[in-house]
Amino acid sequence: MSLLPLALFLAVPAGAQSPEEAELALAYGDKEFVSIATGLVQPLHLAPAVASVVTAAEIEAVGATTLDEALALVPGLHVAPSPFNRLNPNWSIRGVVTNQTPQVLLLRNGVPITHFYTGARPNLFYLPVADIERIEVIRGPGSAVYGADAFAGAINVITRSPEEQNGTEMGVRLGSFERRDAWLQQGSQLGDWKCGISLEYAHTAGDRDRVVGSDLQSVFDSLFATSASRAPGALSTGFDVLNASLRLVNGPWDIGLWHWRLMDAGVGAGAAQAREPSGSPD
C-alpha cells in the first residue's frame, strides 16, 4: 500500500515557455510521444510495445513525492513493500514478482541503474520527483532493446533539461511522518553551453504506526525461553535522500553528472525478519 503524506506546498515557478521550448516539449516531452520502446522518439500509438508515459504535470497533480508513488499511476504496474527485504519497494508488472525486482530495468535518461550483485536497482532507492520531466514505462519484455534485465519491463526516468529548467525554481514541502522536502533548480546560459543544476533533499521519520506485534525472534524466544526480541514496536522506515545533478549541453555534446545518496535509512523488518530500531543503512 502506497502512503502519500499530507503536504503543504510552496514553490517559486520558472518563467513562461518560449515558442522554441514549446516546440521542444511537443517533440520530446509530450505525453503522445515515447522513446523507450525502440530508443527512437515516436508517437505513443505507434510504439511496438505496451507503453505508458507519466508527465511532470500528472506527478504534481496527484501529489507524488517519490518515483515509487509516481509509478502507481501506471496501469498494470503495482508497487508494494517487500516483506523480506527491509520494505524495499517492489515493482510488479503483469504479475511477475521477485524480492529484488531485477526483472524490471530502471534507466535514468537511458542509462541503466543496476546493482552489480543483484542486477536490480539499489535497495531502498527512493528518488525525489522535482527533477523528473517524464517517466516512460514498457509493460512486457524489453530485452530486445535493453538486454536480459528488462524481461518483465523497463522504466526510463527522463530528467529536466537546461531548456526545460529555464531560470530558477525552488520549493519546500512539509508533510506527515515528519516529511521535509526542499529543492532548487537553475537553468542558465554559460557562453555556448546551456547549464542545468538540480538539488533535492528529502527527509521522513517514517510511519510510526506501522507496528509489529511479534517477529521471527519472538518465535525463537518462545522456543528457547529467551527475551531477545524487540517486538512489539514500530518498524524503522525513515530515510534521508540527497539527489543532485549537473547537466551541460552544447550542440551534440550532452554531459551529465549525477549524485544520489541515501542516508540514515530504516531497516524495516530486516533481512532476518527481526525488528531493529537502531540500525540504518547508508
Side-chain angles (χ1 to χ4, degrees), residues 153-232:
I155 299 170
N156 188 22
V157 176
I158 301 174
T159 61
R160 301 179 70 185
S161 67
E163 294 94 337
E164 290 159 342
Q165 290 173 331
N166 186 33
T168 302
E169 179 178 327
M170 63 185 69
V172 296
R173 182 188 294 110
L174 307 177
S176 52
F177 313 131
E178 295 185 23
R179 190 61 186 261
R180 307 288 186 267
D181 297 351
W183 64 92
L184 170 66
Q185 295 179 350
Q186 171 71 43
S188 59
Q189 189 80 25
L190 299 177
D192 294 332
W193 292 85
K194 296 176 181 178
C195 176
I197 298 174
S198 177
L199 299 172
E200 297 178 86
Y201 180 78
H203 162 82
T204 178
D207 183 4
R208 304 304 299 174
D209 292 330
R210 194 187 291 266
V211 176
V212 292
S214 62
D215 58 9
L216 183 58
Q217 184 59 45
S218 301
V219 177
F220 294 146
D221 286 347
S222 64
L223 292 175
F224 302 109
T226 57
S227 58
S229 174
R230 299 188 178 186

Side-chain angles (χ1 to χ4, degrees), residues 79-166:
V79 182
S82 167
F84 303 110
N85 185 23
R86 295 175 287 180
L87 301 181
N88 187 54
N90 267 1
W91 298 343
S92 170
I93 296 180
R94 295 180 174 179
V96 180
V97 183
T98 62
N99 189 40
Q100 300 283 350
T101 322
Q103 76 279 1
V104 180
L105 179 64
L106 175 64
L107 306 102
R108 181 182 181 274
N109 296 328
V111 180
I113 304 172
T114 54
H115 191 278
F116 71 95
Y117 179 71
T118 65
R121 68 193 187 284
N123 282 321
L124 303 177
F125 185 75
Y126 301 110
L127 184 68
V129 297
D131 192 36
I132 295 178
E133 179 62 26
R134 58 198 267 116
I135 305 168
E136 297 181 351
V137 180
I138 289 178
R139 300 189 303 281
S143 298
V145 178
Y146 297 106
D149 291 330
F151 70 84
I155 299 170
N156 188 22
V157 176
I158 301 174
T159 61
R160 301 179 70 185
S161 67
E163 294 94 337
E164 290 159 342
Q165 290 173 331
N166 186 33

